[in-house]
């Protein structure tokens, strides 16, 4: 199943939710937003999907026009004191599908190629100045490389931003789907993430994840 033509895309934010990720693959406008995704040139579903754990840290920064709040980033070299162990969902994609995903993350039209050999050789490649234009080689799963996107800035220098309720709810739904976590586990995971800690009360996290008050 896994060949040199395939890579695992490790999603650690809203793309852990399969229905949300499908907008990148098939194209369309995500409900509640005005942004339309063109989709992959080849919209074939992933060859496989699996739960993954990355060794770094999850944090929230920037200010998303789609989510109206901070969004998730991955730090492979976390700042001192940050919690480690990032829950992710792996989608087994062709290299061209991964290239189309990366283009859409930066609001570009799909179509460009992707130099997988360079990423595997260097471990991390900054393809541009944008927030998701740094590609990391985060390991190997079933013989295929695990890749993810993140920002180029050093975690120690970043301005953390509070994520919106809608965005955290999407991540929570993705954690339920991909890892089978219950609400308690999701709250424990999210409440200590930089950008969430001291900005979201535990009770409020539980409410947005369950709808209970």
């Amino acid at each position: 199943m896994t060949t040199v033509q395939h890579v695992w895309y490790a999603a650690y934010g809203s793309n852990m939710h399969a229905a949300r990720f499908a907008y990148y693959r098939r194209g369309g406008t995500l409900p509640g937003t005005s942004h339309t995704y063109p989709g992959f040139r080849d919209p074939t579903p992933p060859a496989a999907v699996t739960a993954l754990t990355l060794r770094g840290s999850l944090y929230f920064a920037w200010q998303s026009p789609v989510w109206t709040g901070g969004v998730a980033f991955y730090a492979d070299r976390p700042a001192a004191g940050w919690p480690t162990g990032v829950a992710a969902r792996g989608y087994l994609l062709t290299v061209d599908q991964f290239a189309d995903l990366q283009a859409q993350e930066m609001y570009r039209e799909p179509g460009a190629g992707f130099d997988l050999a360079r990423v595997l050789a260097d471990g991390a490649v900054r393809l541009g100045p944008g927030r998701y234009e740094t590609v990391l080689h985060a390991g190997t799963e079933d013989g295929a490389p695990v890749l993810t996107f993140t920002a180029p800035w050093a975690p120690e220098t970043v301005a953390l931003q509070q994520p919106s309720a809608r965005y955290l709810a999407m991540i929570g739904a993705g954690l339920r789907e991909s890892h089978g976590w219950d609400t308690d586990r999701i709250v424990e995971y999210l409440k200590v993430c930089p950008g969430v800690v001291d900005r979201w009360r535990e009770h409020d996290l539980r409410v947005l994840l369950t709808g209970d008050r």
Side-chain angles (χ1 to χ4, degrees):
M1 180 183 296
T2 54
T3 71
V4 293
Q5 283 78 41
H6 286 80
V7 299
W8 291 102
Y9 159 53
Y12 52 82
S14 60
N15 280 346
M16 284 190 291
H17 191 273
R20 194 285 189 258
F21 175 68
Y23 282 91
Y24 285 96
R25 180 172 60 84
R26 298 195 302 252
T29 302
L30 186 69
T33 77
S34 60
H35 183 69
T36 299
Y37 296 91
F40 293 171
R41 290 168 288 176
D42 173 10
T44 303
V49 181
T50 193
L52 299 172
T53 301
L54 307 180
R55 64 184 182 183
S57 292
L58 178 71
Y59 68 98
F60 296 85
W62 194 59
Q63 188 74 16
S64 169
V66 174
W67 295 106
T68 62
V71 289
F73 293 96
Y74 175 68
D76 61 328
R77 297 179 180 179
W82 283 13
T84 57
V86 176
R89 189 172 207 174
Y91 297 96
L92 191 62
L93 306 177
T94 68
V95 174
D96 283 345
Q97 286 178 320
F98 184 83
D100 290 352
L101 172 64
Q102 198 272 334
Q104 291 178 90
E105 284 281 16
M106 289 310 304
Y107 301 98
R108 299 195 180 106
E109 286 293 320
F114 177 73
D115 189 351
L116 175 60
R118 180 185 172 198
V119 175
L120 297 182
D122 296 348
V125 173
R126 184 174 177 178
L127 302 176
R131 61 203 171 278
Y132 288 127
E133 287 190 298
T134 297
V135 181
L136 301 178
H137 179 207
T140 301
E141 180 75 14
D142 290 338
V146 176
L147 306 182
T148 197
F149 310 122
T150 194
W153 49 65
E156 296 84 357
T157 67
V158 70
L160 300 173
Q161 295 288 344
Q162 178 178 333
S164 68
R166 188 165 59 94
Y167 187 66
L168 289 177
M170 183 69 76
I171 291 178
L175 289 167
R176 292 183 199 277
E177 282 187 3
S178 58
H179 287 257
W181 289 2
D182 61 15
T183 298
D184 288 342
R185 181 76 182 274
I186 296 169
V187 169
E188 290 300 311
Y189 175 70
L190 291 176
K191 73 178 186 180
V192 297
C193 292
V196 174
V197 65
D198 297 329
R199 290 172 167 86
W200 274 96
R201 295 185 304 168
E202 182 173 339
H203 169 75
D204 294 334
L205 282 174
R206 191 174 301 278
V207 168
L208 74 88
L209 292 169
T210 64
D212 296 333
R213 295 188 178 274

